[in-house]
Amino acid sequence: MKTAAAFIGVNELMNDSLTQRIQENMRSFSKGQRLIATYIMEHYDKVAFMTASRLGSTVGVSESTVVRFATEIGYDGYPELQRAMQEMIRSKLTIVQRMDVTRERIGDNDILDTVLGQDSDVIRRTMEYTSHDEFYKAADTILAARKVYILGARSCQALASFLAYYLGLLLEDVILVQATSEAEIFQQLIHINENDVVIVLSFPRYSRKATKAMQFAHECGAKGIAITDTAASPVAKHADYALLARSDIAAIVDSLVAPLSLIDALVVTLSLKKQKTMDPTFKRLEAIWDEYHVYEKVDNENTEKDDTKHAEA
């Protein structure tokens, strides 16, 4: 399993050195490899989501030539080169470009199966790259904090709200920072100090407000936990811990199933670490929910019959 340090190395390679490596090796490339290199430099946004076979047929070389090209410039294989290009462009794609990429990737395939398959893949890749050491240290830091501030801008607001809801059941002082404007963010963080933790969630396209909030909290001495996609993410630069979850593009939608799964794991970890102290609290909550009829009572037998009817239909 790759560590966070290894993940940082991969991101440095793809963000800083891809173009440089191609240029440095251009003279030693074969004719076919030069064709590949030129096409990548001119159409990297398209190549990022092409298979090796399709790239080869596009430029007029064999699939094996494409694979050899990837290893020639320092990658383990074409999939790693492809992921490098994807990471390099994801934070730069406009909505129009995202739609073009989605049409290219799905083609004539079933949309539902393709999107669910992509989501399954990003969860698998998250398992490969997430540092267990960082994860558990971050959990202990949260438990030791006086206050926990949580912030997510734009599409990450939903993740932040989800996390804040469950941490609010486990911890005494959890604050969901409303990311409506930079001024309001700073006002809500004005009392943050070295006894506190801020959790900032940010995925491409990265929010400037989220980055500035993390930087402000860092300057105030608070511990920072970034839930983001790469160690090169703007919010990770000022964080004490980076919990890395892969994300992907599905048309105009940011696929955030892997970050949500990571958040689930974090909540479960915290709840198990506080199990002895939380049991009385949860029992009291259940009593309150029952008394005030917070949840609907569902007849499981009738529900199963309805599910069977729908399945048969």
Side-chain angles (χ1 to χ4, degrees), residues 124-138:
R124 177 189 59 77
R125 286 161 52 197
T126 295
M127 292 175 65
E128 292 175 355
Y129 287 113
T130 298
S131 167
H132 286 57
D133 184 56
E134 291 263 306
F135 178 85
Y136 291 114
K137 284 182 178 178

Side-chain angles (χ1 to χ4, degrees), residues 72-223:
E72 185 77 16
I73 60 174
Y75 293 97
D76 291 338
Y78 182 74
E80 188 178 2
L81 169 60
Q82 188 180 44
R83 284 195 293 270
M85 289 186 289
Q86 289 173 3
E87 294 297 334
M88 187 171 64
I89 69 170
R90 278 176 56 243
S91 62
K92 301 176 182 178
L93 292 179
T94 65
I95 290 180
V96 174
Q97 289 172 323
R98 282 174 171 232
M99 290 298 298
D100 290 340
V101 166
T102 301
R103 281 191 289 267
E104 185 79 15
R105 295 172 73 180
I106 294 179
D108 296 327
N109 297 320
D110 183 84
I111 297 173
L112 177 61
D113 290 345
T114 301
V115 173
L116 292 180
Q118 290 172 3
D119 285 346
S120 176
D121 181 60
V122 294
I123 291 178
R124 177 189 59 77
R125 286 161 52 197
T126 295
M127 292 175 65
E128 292 175 355
Y129 287 113
T130 298
S131 167
H132 286 57
D133 184 56
E134 291 263 306
F135 178 85
Y136 291 114
K137 284 182 178 178
D140 289 337
T141 300
I142 292 171
L143 289 176
R146 178 187 65 125
K147 291 184 179 181
V148 178
Y149 295 82
I150 301 173
L151 182 146
R154 303 182 69 80
S155 61
C156 289
Q157 283 182 316
L159 293 177
S161 179
F162 181 88
L163 178 59
Y165 171 77
Y166 282 102
L167 290 196
L169 297 177
L170 300 173
L171 307 174
E172 292 185 5
D173 207 340
V174 176
I175 300 170
L176 177 60
V177 179
Q178 301 301 319
T180 50
S181 70
E182 290 180 12
E184 289 190 11
I185 289 174
F186 295 141
Q187 288 172 16
Q188 293 168 80
L189 295 176
I190 193 64
H191 298 298
I192 196 169
N193 61 38
E194 65 276 4
N195 298 311
D196 303 328
V197 168
V198 62
I199 304 174
V200 178
L201 303 97
S202 185
F203 291 84
R205 301 157 71 182
Y206 303 111
S207 165
R208 288 187 179 181
K209 290 187 290 187
T211 302
K212 290 182 178 180
M214 179 66 87
Q215 184 176 358
F216 177 79
H218 173 75
E219 291 170 352
C220 291
K223 293 291 185 181

